[in-house]
Amino acid sequence: MNLRYFTLRMIRHFMPLWLTRFLLRRGWIIRPGLETDAPLEAAERYRQALKAAGCHLEGKRVLILGYGGRYAVGCALLEMGARQVVLCEADLAPDTPYNRTLLPRYGAWLEEKDGNIIPHQDALRVINGDIRKLVKGHRMETMDIVLTSSVYEHLEDVEGITQALAAITAPEGIHLHYIDLRDHYFKYPFEMLKYSPSVWHKLLNPTSNLNRYRLWQYRQIFERRFKNVTVEILESNPRAFQIAQKHIRPEFLSGDIQVDSATLIKVIAQQPIL
């Protein structure tokens, strides 16, 4: 057993969620995702990937699920030509101090009122709530583009949320998801795959939740909801995988080392099945 890993994972498991979010927003100890750390780069990555898939942002209604409380990527996509960007987060409040720094550049879509940063709803809309309930309650409009980055690996109900997102996707719409398959103790990218469900959920799973889904599971879920699905491996670590392989539980192994050693994937899904 890797005692250092086990100890640090237990600390993360029992760490209060408010403290996790505090550290994450400041980039202390816990590493933030690309959208938080480099929002303009994240927006450009979305634009380039969509363009390569034959989709352009101009005039499109875009949903970003799990935007992290910061409006920067949404504003950047509007600057690139999107008609409207909807930012959705389950239970995370906006990061007002950070969003205030966006006013000089993005004043066309943001304003300050009573100490809060208010988006102009016709262009930038912010929604808090469970996307499944929002869709079921008919509180979501049809979207042309649905985006996530380092969100899917944290979802508890991957199937249900994918179904909800497919239900609000326009017939000619497109999904683009970047999914990080690593253990988020990044030094040991496959360590989490060594533990039984009971040990993982009772002692090790961080408060941010890691569902431990593998590439083929994501592919199957998206293929149940979309007619056209492509999964591309963007990064892999076969050396680390081979070191860990003999201790990885069989349910996390496909037998294809290229698939099993993947650490970052890009999913593009089109033609929702309604």
Side-chain angles (χ1 to χ4, degrees):
M1 178 186 293
N2 186 330
L3 290 178
R4 176 178 173 80
Y5 171 89
F6 203 91
T7 301
L8 292 175
R9 264 281 165 252
M10 283 189 67
I11 292 171
R12 279 295 310 276
H13 178 80
F14 291 105
M15 181 183 293
L17 186 57
W18 68 265
L19 180 56
T20 300
R21 289 174 173 173
F22 177 85
L23 295 172
L24 184 60
R25 281 187 168 179
R26 286 155 181 80
W28 298 344
I29 304 176
I30 303 173
R31 187 187 305 177
L34 185 65
E35 293 195 357
T36 299
D37 200 39
L40 296 182
E41 182 181 341
E44 180 62 18
R45 180 174 71 163
Y46 281 141
R47 189 182 72 84
Q48 292 291 350
L50 290 168
K51 182 179 178 181
C55 175
H56 298 275
L57 282 164
E58 289 79 4
K60 300 295 196 306
R61 179 179 283 127
V62 181
L63 170 67
I64 301 178
L65 182 68
Y67 76 99
R70 296 184 172 184
Y71 301 156
V73 174
C75 290
L77 294 176
L78 289 170
E79 195 172 53
M80 291 175 179
R83 175 163 59 96
Q84 183 186 50
V85 176
V86 177
L87 306 175
C88 185
E89 190 71 58
D91 59 357
L92 184 65
D95 186 347
T96 299
Y98 177 87
N99 291 331
R100 185 174 288 111
T101 68
L102 303 176
L103 287 171
R105 177 165 182 169
Y106 299 120
W109 303 299
L110 303 172
E111 63 178 307
E112 185 166 7
K113 185 177 181 180
D114 299 327
N116 296 313
I117 307 303
I118 309 299
H120 295 173
Q121 293 292 309
D122 57 334
L124 187 65
R125 185 181 172 199
V126 179
I127 299 176
N128 281 79
D130 185 327
I131 190 66
R132 296 165 298 182
K133 294 180 180 178
L134 293 170
V135 172
K136 188 175 180 179
H138 304 288
R139 294 175 55 193
M140 297 293 298
E141 298 175 331
T142 300
M143 297 292 156
D144 301 305
I145 300 171
V146 177
L147 306 172
T148 71
S149 179
S150 293
V151 169
Y152 253 82
E153 66 267 24
H154 297 291
L155 299 180
E156 293 184 7
D157 182 11
V158 179
E159 180 77 58
I161 289 175
T162 303
Q163 181 180 3
L165 293 174
I168 58 169
T169 304
E172 302 302 320
I174 185 171
H175 279 224
L176 169 58
H177 304 284
Y178 291 96
I179 306 175
D180 193 334
L181 302 178
R182 297 174 296 174
D183 188 312
H184 284 21
Y185 187 162
F186 297 111
K187 185 177 180 180
Y188 304 106
F190 303 100
E191 195 73 15
M192 65 181 178
L193 307 180
K194 298 178 179 181
Y195 298 94
S196 68
S198 60
V199 171
W200 179 253
H201 290 294
K202 291 178 181 178
L203 297 175
L204 303 178
N205 191 18
T207 48
S208 58
N209 185 56
L210 284 174
N211 56 42
R212 303 196 293 176
Y213 278 36
R214 312 319 294 156
L215 182 154
W216 68 88
Q217 293 173 293
Y218 285 116
R219 179 189 287 120
Q220 290 169 355
I221 288 171
F222 278 99
E223 286 180 344
R224 284 195 285 269
R225 302 299 171 188
F226 296 87
K227 295 179 182 178
N228 186 357
V229 176
T230 60
V231 180
E232 179 182 352
I233 297 173
L234 299 180
E235 295 178 12
S236 63
N237 193 333
R239 183 175 181 276
F241 174 77
Q242 288 175 327
I243 292 172
Q245 184 176 6
K246 65 181 180 180
H247 298 295
I248 293 176
R249 291 176 62 85
E251 62 264 33
F252 298 119
L253 297 171
S254 71
D256 182 340
I257 190 171
Q258 184 177 8
V259 170
D260 291 341
S261 65
T263 54
L264 178 66
I265 60 174
K266 178 176 70 176
V267 176
I268 294 180
Q270 298 169 286
Q271 297 179 276
I273 301 171
L274 302 178

